[in-house]
Amino acid sequence: MTVADTFPLVRTVGFDGALVTFANTMTEDANRAALAFRAEIEQLRWDGVTETSATLGSAYIRFDPQHLTHAEIRLRLQSLLEQQNWYSAPLPEGRRLWRVPTVYGTDLAPQLKEAAAAAGLDPEDAVQRLSTTRVRVLTIGFAPGQPYLGPLGPEFDIPRLQDLTPMVPEGALVLAISQFVLFSGPTPTGWRHVGQTAFRCFRPEMEQSFVLKPGDEMIFEPVSPDELDQIRANNTDGTGGATCEEITA
């Protein structure tokens, strides 16, 4: 049986959930499929569906068992899957591009050199590649508002650390397995700390406390430590000097 024969795969999750999986590992097209498929279900507003979410390569659907049975939701999902090739479907509308000032390396992000060496690059080349790669918010998870971002180039498919870094600050940009994570709060991590921002992903004081949405895109543009200090001194809105524009294509 080939991968094409196996996926997409519809599975039962508990007594009130279903999971549509598009691949067993994160790929760009599987993530595209998960985001597009979830957005279509949201647009259809099926009676009885109470919640949806998208992960790196799957879409989760929660439903009210008093209105829908597992057999009924499975039939609807299978029918929707057959309507198009979701792996090449357009991404959802309303996505945004964020350009985030970022310090690479220095004492603020001390594991850049180590990450560059693991990728077979010198630090300057690593920064050039990382700072010009436009990455997608693949999913939000692990902590409130916290994005997994990618994919990065295959050279950055580097393993996690053997030992945890005891703590990195909010706004830390960390790297492993061809992905970034932008931390929404101070946390230990096994990913390498390569950049530092003043961007706050989680703003509980705001009505929309999760700033980013799956499908948004980000570019982490290099600035100096002095420039980041100036941004922090005037960071009342939590944007960390980032700009935001709607993605129209």
Side-chain angles (χ1 to χ4, degrees):
M1 181 176 293
T2 67
V3 171
D5 294 328
T6 305
F7 298 100
L9 179 63
V10 181
R11 288 178 284 185
T12 296
V13 180
F15 73 93
D16 64 350
L19 188 70
V20 180
T21 303
F22 292 93
N24 56 8
T25 58
M26 199 291 295
T27 63
E28 191 280 333
D29 57 350
N31 182 252
R32 171 183 294 270
L35 295 175
F37 191 77
R38 183 259 178 133
E40 181 66 16
I41 293 174
E42 286 283 308
Q43 187 173 357
L44 289 170
R45 299 180 181 272
W46 286 343
D47 185 36
V49 170
T50 59
E51 178 185 2
T52 68
S53 62
T55 65
L56 296 177
S58 300
Y60 171 74
I61 300 91
R62 185 180 182 188
F63 60 94
D64 183 348
Q66 294 184 334
H67 288 83
L68 289 170
T69 67
H70 278 285
E72 289 169 335
I73 195 70
R74 177 181 289 270
L75 185 63
R76 290 191 187 188
L77 293 171
Q78 292 285 10
S79 177
L80 187 59
L81 284 169
E82 293 168 3
Q83 291 182 14
Q84 67 169 299
N85 179 358
W86 292 96
Y87 295 96
S88 58
L91 288 165
E93 295 181 356
R95 299 181 307 119
R96 299 159 297 171
L97 172 63
W98 298 84
R99 299 180 184 273
V100 183
T102 305
V103 172
Y104 288 93
T106 76
D107 292 342
L108 296 177
Q111 292 166 321
L112 171 69
K113 291 182 179 179
E114 183 180 344
L121 303 169
D122 60 55
E124 292 75 17
D125 192 13
V127 171
Q128 194 278 330
R129 297 187 190 200
L130 294 173
S131 64
T132 55
T133 299
R134 185 162 158 170
V135 289
R136 180 189 303 158
V137 178
L138 303 168
T139 190
I140 303 289
F142 183 76
Q146 183 164 292
Y148 287 75
L149 301 147
L152 296 168
E155 67 273 26
F156 294 109
D157 188 14
I158 62 177
R160 299 172 180 85
L161 296 165
Q162 293 287 329
D163 299 309
L164 289 178
T165 300
M167 192 66 63
V168 296
E170 179 183 27
L173 187 67
V174 300
L175 184 156
I177 54 173
S178 293
Q179 295 174 45
F180 282 137
V181 172
L182 181 60
F183 278 123
S184 61
T187 186
T189 183
W191 295 38
R192 288 172 175 83
H193 186 188
V194 298
Q196 184 60 48
T197 78
F199 189 88
R200 296 181 59 219
C201 303
F202 179 51
R203 305 176 197 172
E205 71 280 3
M206 298 177 60
E207 183 177 354
Q208 296 292 331
S209 58
F210 288 15
V211 178
L212 301 169
K213 299 184 295 185
D216 281 356
E217 298 182 9
M218 306 188 83
I219 299 176
F220 294 92
E221 299 180 331
V223 296
S224 70
D226 286 345
E227 289 172 307
L228 188 64
D229 282 343
Q230 294 175 11
I231 289 168
R232 283 173 164 166
N234 299 283
N235 195 28
T236 55
D237 60 1
T239 59
T243 61
C244 177
E245 61 191 79
E246 183 179 354
I247 298 173
T248 56

